[in-house]
Amino acid sequence: MKTILITGGAGFIGSHLVRLFVNKYPEYKIVNLDKLTYAGNLANLTDIEGKANYEFVKGDIVDADFILKLFIERQFDAVIHLAAESHVDRSITNPTEFVFTNVIGTVNLLNAIRHIWKDNTEGKRFYHISTDEVYGSLGSEGMFTEKTGYDPHSPYSASKASSDHFVRAYHDTFGLPVVVSNCSNNYGSFQFPEKLIPLFINNIKNNKALPVYGEGLNIRDWLWVEDHARAIDVIFHQGKDGDTYNIGGHNEWTNIDLIKVMCRIMDSKLRREPGTSEKLITYVKDRAGHDLRYAIDSTKLQQELNWVPSLQFEEGIEKTIDWYLANTEWMENVTSGDYQSYYQKQYQNR
Ligand code: NAD
Ligand code: TYD
């Protein structure tokens, strides 16, 4: 039986990946290592927590001694690394936290696998999950390919870029078997409501202002989170050693168009007069260093590994809205306590 460590498995994407692997691969033992920061929530995994091939370990990837000890004890066969600080706005408020978790945490994992796999890397794999934000910002033309140079602008993307470089450096220098993927913006169930889509669904439901940064003309390429998890599955099993794969939905939206779609769907679901939710749109001070446009060219993944997104955006966003409307207890739990003070600080002066 292979033992696979998934880091950050209690977060948004990690929980979807853990669920997919635990259900699809009974022959793998899945160990989910997570610090349970504000973004990590074991309630994201209640449906699989009792499964025989699943285990949760609470721990911090920044703690090098703990990580090395865990790796020596458990002798993992593979690692899929998602644990990270993931929100751009928080990286503007507290950049150092992003260096610790995203850079040092990643290097700690690399050092630990170097230690336990030093004699034999046969069948082993370290898979680093990254973002398209490392490539910087596009104008109205073009797309990010795997060959696009790195040009990060936010502390978040700079920390992810740095961690990507370390992963590749450990491949080139120490021969570690690594693979990297860079994905566009994800959406779906279990996303913490600091990110655009769940934040706005929650605000629309509660008749709260919708704080649109700048003019709402920034463009993001949205991918359904379960399609990202499927892509990770394919790349983990079939991706080439040392290679990079871009993952994206070919699904670009300006923020304001996307927000208007959400408003229309929610008016209908909540039986409000058409146009009611759009009145909540409030233009606020722009995010510092706000990247204009992200768009991923995922031709390589589609052609080499036969992955395509399974869901059209119109269907995905409706499913997502339905999920948040049905899971009010989840939303209430994650928005109680610290969330309120985060929200106040983040939006009060905008
Ligand atoms: P998330 O913030 O929802 O989850 C991150 C998880 O990591 C949480 O469970 C948290 O508790 C855990 N964590 C944080 N610091 C830790 C530490 N020091 N030790 C152990 N665990 C720790 O993030 P997400 O949106 O699920 O993103 C997961 C990964 O995918 C990240 O690496 C992110 O950069 C990448 N990514 C995200 C997106 C997106 O749209 N959300 C897109 C592309 C790539
Ligand atoms: P976000 O979900 O934070 O993802 P990212 O910054 O990683 O792409 O934001 C998506 C887009 O929505 C981005 O252009 C910023 C914008 N945005 C707002 O306009 N208002 C908000 O309150 C938030 C959180 C984001």
Side-chain angles (χ1 to χ4, degrees):
M1 195 183 207
K2 273 194 165 185
T3 306
I4 299 176
L5 178 72
I6 297 183
T7 71
F12 166 49
I13 302 169
S15 61
H16 284 280
L17 185 71
V18 166
R19 177 175 300 101
L20 176 70
F21 269 52
V22 165
N23 287 330
K24 187 170 172 187
Y25 300 109
E27 69 275 26
Y28 293 163
K29 167 93 188 188
I30 304 298
V31 178
N32 169 15
L33 170 68
D34 200 295
K35 184 182 174 184
L36 300 182
T37 67
Y38 77 92
N41 188 354
L42 290 179
N44 297 357
L45 289 164
T46 44
D47 54 330
I48 55 108
E49 66 189 1
K51 298 251 173 160
N53 64 337
Y54 172 70
E55 183 186 340
F56 174 69
V57 175
K58 186 171 189 299
D60 187 347
I61 58 168
V62 179
D63 183 344
D65 293 342
F66 162 77
I67 290 295
L68 185 60
K69 195 161 161 265
L70 179 75
F71 276 60
I72 290 170
E73 264 170 25
R74 304 303 298 266
Q75 295 290 321
F76 299 115
D77 297 293
V79 177
I80 310 181
H81 174 38
L82 295 93
E85 286 293 334
S86 68
H87 190 40
V88 173
D89 291 328
R90 289 188 194 248
S91 81
I92 296 168
T93 316
N94 186 4
T96 311
E97 193 66 32
F98 284 67
V99 179
F100 281 124
T101 296
N102 298 0
V103 185
I104 307 217
T106 301
V107 173
N108 286 342
L109 296 172
L110 291 167
N111 286 335
I113 61 167
R114 229 192 119 196
H115 185 85
I116 65 165
W117 296 348
K118 60 178 174 293
D119 298 325
N120 184 8
T121 56
E122 186 66 35
K124 307 284 198 282
R125 169 148 277 185
F126 181 86
Y127 182 176
H128 180 62
I129 305 300
S130 193
T131 167
D132 61 354
E133 305 195 21
V134 297
Y135 297 122
S137 183
L138 293 163
S140 53
E141 298 286 310
M143 292 180 130
F144 299 133
T145 73
E146 289 80 0
K147 295 200 162 63
T148 304
Y150 275 28
D151 183 23
H153 299 291
S154 72
Y156 164 65
S157 53
S159 68
K160 291 297 292 188
S162 173
S163 63
D164 294 9
H165 289 317
F166 271 103
V167 171
R168 294 189 184 109
Y170 271 58
H171 172 267
D172 296 348
T173 310
F174 304 115
L176 286 191
V178 309
V179 68
V180 178
S181 60
N182 297 80
C183 187
S184 62
N185 287 63
N186 285 211
Y187 71 97
S189 53
F190 298 112
Q191 187 171 31
F192 193 78
E194 62 187 354
K195 306 275 167 54
L196 179 74
I197 291 181
L199 176 76
F200 278 36
I201 293 173
N202 192 39
N203 282 14
I204 294 171
K205 179 169 172 259
N206 294 310
N207 274 308
K208 279 175 72 174
L210 304 177
V212 179
Y213 296 163
E215 295 176 50
L217 297 177
N218 304 70
I219 294 173
R220 297 292 182 264
D221 176 359
W222 294 94
L223 179 69
W224 191 44
V225 62
E226 294 188 32
D227 281 329
H228 187 189
R230 283 177 47 248
I232 294 172
D233 180 10
V234 170
I235 294 166
F236 177 72
H237 289 98
Q238 298 166 46
K240 274 201 234 105
D241 183 41
D243 225 340
T244 295
Y245 297 87
N246 278 357
I247 310 170
H250 282 288
N251 178 44
E252 293 180 51
W253 289 82
T254 61
N255 291 339
I256 193 65
D257 286 346
L258 171 66
I259 291 159
K260 286 182 178 167
V261 167
M262 289 198 285
C263 287
R264 274 200 294 279
I265 298 175
M266 293 217 29
D267 279 344
S268 141
K269 303 258 174 213
L270 298 170
R271 297 182 201 292
R272 292 178 180 166
E273 280 294 307
T276 309
S277 302
E278 276 195 26
K279 294 199 186 101
L280 299 169
I281 291 174
T282 311
Y283 292 92
V284 300
K285 188 169 154 231
D286 207 354
R287 173 187 279 172
H290 197 171
D291 287 335
L292 178 65
R293 175 172 167 253
Y294 303 142
I296 276 276
D297 181 348
S298 57
T299 309
K300 176 175 170 181
L301 178 60
Q302 303 197 7
Q303 288 187 346
E304 288 186 14
L305 303 184
N306 268 326
W307 171 91
V308 281
S310 71
L311 208 63
Q312 291 300 309
F313 185 69
E314 288 67 18
E315 194 186 341
I317 191 71
E318 190 169 344
K319 266 171 102 109
T320 301
I321 289 171
D322 285 340
W323 188 86
Y324 287 99
L325 291 180
N327 288 274
T328 46
E329 203 181 311
W330 182 93
M331 186 60 93
E332 277 158 21
N333 281 340
V334 299
T335 54
S336 63
D338 288 352
Y339 181 81
Q340 300 301 334
S341 58
Y342 161 78
Y343 198 91
Q344 274 256 315
K345 273 192 221 126
Q346 179 59 31
Y347 294 103
Q348 72 183 352
N349 294 323
R350 281 200 131 94

